Amino acid sequence: MTRETRPDHGGRYDGERYDGGEYGSGRHDGERYDGERFDVVIVGGGPAGLSAALMLGRARRSVLVIDAGEPRNAPAAHMHGFLSRDGAPPGDLLAAGRREVAGYGVEVRAGRARSAVRDGGLFAVTDDAGHTVRARRVLVTTGFTDELPDVPGLAQRWGRDVLHCPYCHGWEVRDAPIGVLSTGPMGVHQALLFRQWTDRLTLLLHTGPRPTEEESEQLAARGIAVVPGEVTGLEITDDRLTGVRLGNGEVHPLQALTVAPRAVPGAATAAFLDSLGLAPTEHPSGMGSYLAAGPAGLTDVPGVWVAGNAADLTANVLASAASGSAAAGAINADLVAEDTRRAVRARKDPFSAASEARVCELVAGDRRHGL
């Protein structure tokens, strides 16, 4: 169906009312609140958020996506490992996703969610422009921010020849001389992983711990050179990385440098999560922090789900989209259960609008229109 001929989201439930709006319909006529009301507000319009919006829109739910326009993979020119979209610019995927969800009545608004608090049986979600909407459920898909090692020039090359994920970028730098910048206990693991893509590999100890005896044996067996000393800068020639410079002035030629950023919520995201009562948990690997949740993304805060990199620091674009889809299915099932409970209560209530309509039908039949 085209957008013009598609039925309204959710349908009506025998004229029953819910919190000032028609129950289950996602409509706002008769709304008691000043702001709009949605079944679900999704905070974050990346692959996870848009995938969830697509599923919920197709489930005839009223959905608002609030997106700050700061995807985690924005520095990368291409995304990889996404079946049928391998090598596509990340922005193209998001643009296509926004078009698709709009076809199901989903609204995507530019902005940043500032807070979300309980307001009766709903959540009041306020953006940075001070606009407040109400939602029955909230899905957080903000992702987190990559906190890079403090090396001059590193941030400017991020997503180009300063990389972190071999599955995302390893093929593009295969067989090239690559350096692994160690900043924590995962440095050796990252070096052994990147060895799959090149045999010209150097582990730069930088601020990371010295390898254990067992790790040293592994590195030697794989032909990975180990260089002590802190990296103080990058060597750039014709806008290409050509090496790294150590504190003693020594330069090691490289064409790519891999790092292990820490994923952390930005200041605005942290404030929003705090308003919801969500506290990030430190990842045991030292990779950063994440939001603990169940298999489908349900958090400890009733009515709040999470998907994407905020819940899984290692998820690529495809995995993030899949987690958004799974969360959407769980959210819709939860709303269906709530809709059913309310419908059963309304049916049993002798003074509800639905009950009065049924009694009138039984007693007066068609004559009721002439009373």
Side-chain angles (χ1 to χ4, degrees):
M1 289 182 289
T2 65
R3 185 178 182 185
E4 288 74 18
T5 60
R6 181 174 294 110
D8 291 327
H9 286 262
R12 295 174 182 266
Y13 175 67
D14 294 336
E16 285 297 319
R17 311 291 292 184
Y18 169 62
D19 286 335
E22 288 190 309
Y23 178 58
S25 70
R27 295 176 178 270
H28 312 302
D29 43 312
E31 185 73 46
R32 287 202 305 266
Y33 295 110
D34 293 334
E36 302 158 282
R37 204 201 82 188
F38 297 85
D39 287 323
V40 184
V41 166
I42 300 173
V43 182
L50 290 176
S51 180
L54 180 63
M55 289 285 288
L56 288 165
R58 286 179 55 81
R60 309 186 72 187
R61 295 295 180 185
S62 56
V63 181
L64 171 66
V65 178
I66 302 175
D67 182 34
E70 299 173 351
R72 187 182 183 189
N73 63 354
H78 305 93
M79 63 180 189
H80 296 284
F82 197 123
L83 189 64
S84 81
R85 296 294 183 270
D86 187 66
D92 287 1
L93 178 71
L94 300 184
R98 286 191 291 268
R99 289 193 299 270
E100 289 178 1
V101 302
Y104 295 98
V106 172
E107 183 176 355
V108 180
R109 292 182 189 172
R112 190 186 302 277
R114 186 178 66 196
S115 66
V117 296
R118 288 280 185 187
D119 186 0
L122 304 174
F123 291 93
V125 183
T126 303
D127 64 18
D128 51 2
H131 183 65
T132 299
V133 299
R134 270 72 176 179
R136 298 170 67 187
R137 302 293 185 272
V138 173
L139 173 60
V140 179
T141 61
T142 55
F144 279 177
T145 300
D146 286 313
E147 189 177 74
L148 298 172
D150 186 18
V151 175
L154 199 69
Q156 288 71 29
R157 311 299 303 182
W158 178 237
R160 301 172 64 189
D161 37 31
V162 174
L163 316 166
H164 78 293
C165 172
Y167 303 105
C168 301
H169 306 288
W171 177 263
E172 285 63 43
V173 295
R174 64 193 183 280
D175 299 325
I178 301 175
V180 176
L181 188 71
S182 178
T183 56
M186 297 296 289
V188 171
H189 169 77
Q190 192 174 25
L192 293 172
L193 195 59
F194 265 92
R195 177 61 179 79
Q196 177 66 23
W197 281 264
T198 184
D199 60 0
R200 304 160 68 188
L201 198 66
T202 301
L203 175 62
L204 302 158
L205 291 185
H206 191 50
T207 59
R210 294 193 65 84
T212 64
E213 183 176 344
E214 181 182 7
E215 289 172 336
S216 295
E217 185 178 18
Q218 293 171 344
L219 293 167
R222 294 292 279 159
I224 301 172
V226 178
V227 175
E230 289 194 26
V231 173
T232 58
L234 308 182
E235 294 289 314
I236 308 297
T237 303
D238 296 330
D239 198 30
R240 290 179 178 273
L241 176 69
T242 56
V244 295
R245 186 173 56 256
L246 301 181
N248 61 7
E250 185 179 349
V251 174
H252 282 268
L254 298 171
Q255 292 181 16
L257 181 66
T258 74
V259 301
R262 277 181 49 81
V264 296
T269 299
F272 170 74
L273 296 176
D274 184 64
S275 71
L276 268 175
L278 290 175
T281 300
E282 188 68 21
H283 198 278
S285 68
M287 296 171 58
S289 55
Y290 70 103
L291 297 176
L298 179 61
T299 71
D300 290 336
V301 179
V304 178
W305 273 257
V306 62
N309 280 150
D312 182 358
L313 303 184
T314 65
N316 62 8
V317 178
L318 186 59
S320 292
S323 71
S325 179
I331 291 170
N332 185 60
D334 189 50
L335 289 170
V336 165
E338 181 177 275
D339 292 345
T340 303
R341 288 193 300 271
R342 289 182 178 274
V344 169
R345 284 200 298 269
R347 185 177 181 82
K348 292 179 177 180
D349 182 0
F351 300 106
S352 69
S355 295
E356 290 179 4
R358 287 194 298 272
V359 170
C360 188
E361 173 72 25
L362 291 172
V363 174
D366 291 337
R367 293 182 292 109
R368 68 187 186 280
H369 298 295
L371 295 177

